[in-house]
Amino acid sequence: DTGVSQNPRHKITKRGQNVTFRCDPISEHNRLYWYRQTLGQGPEFLTYFQNEAQLEKSRLLSDRFSAERPKGSFSTLEIQRTEQGDSAMYLCASSFNLLGQGDGYTFGSGTRLTVV
Amino acid sequence: KNEVEQSPQNLTAQEGEFITINCSYSVGISALHWLQQHPGGGIVSLFMLSSGKKKHGRLIATINIQEKHSSLHITASHPRDSAVYICAVRSASGAGSYQLTFGKGTKLSVIP
């Protein structure tokens, strides 16, 4: 297993277009997270899956954003009608629970989206 | 006010210096993570701790739960340590609080 894989690494799109990102987590990890990071800021939580169930969504996740994890393995994050403010690094992470110690996280390398 | 505050925001050090990065948080937590982010975006998990102290090579992380404070120390710093170091916490409240809340990061530059 090579860790958490995200594709594509970079995406440039025109405003108004739809984009889709993919995340392949570590196979043993049942939890998958999407975060968004803008320049000079720490990542911000977008949404979280446990297996195929989407259990939490941030208020940052507007109606134009949708995430799926259909078989409890890989996940996709789609942004419809992209806006310039969507330009950011989109990070995926997966985790498993270490009993009594919280989640051990592994992050992907991220997908950098630029909306022009 | 951000729930997770890091200091300093920027740090420049000479190679070989001992470095300390601080993290304070305002909520009860179940775990605290120290992460390293290099230019290009990839994040590497350095430590996850809920009490005490952990050491890995030249890196040491400590946490004081009562004071809601953690520190990351780098001994004998090297230019390859140059990166952004991020503190992140997992809230202790509620069964669904699995996401992390991040600080803004500390940008470290180690000069040869």
Side-chain angles (χ1 to χ4, degrees), chain B residues 31-45:
Chain B
L32 182 144
H33 296 250
W34 280 104
L35 309 162
Q36 181 191 58
Q37 187 171 33
H38 282 282
I43 291 179
V44 174
S45 181

Side-chain angles (χ1 to χ4, degrees), chain B residues 33-96:
Chain B
H33 296 250
W34 280 104
L35 309 162
Q36 181 191 58
Q37 187 171 33
H38 282 282
I43 291 179
V44 174
S45 181
L46 299 175
F47 295 103
M48 181 182 70
L49 62 165
S50 54
S51 65
K53 176 180 174 179
K54 287 189 175 180
K55 184 176 188 294
H56 182 70
R58 295 181 294 105
L59 301 177
I60 303 167
T62 64
I63 188 168
N64 185 318
I65 296 294
Q66 287 73 31
E67 295 186 2
K68 293 186 170 59
H69 181 269
S70 176
S71 293
L72 176 68
H73 305 285
I74 305 175
T75 61
S77 59
H78 190 276
R80 65 175 174 267
D81 297 327
S82 298
V84 175
Y85 293 84
I86 304 173
C87 172
V89 302
R90 180 190 164 190
S91 171
S93 63

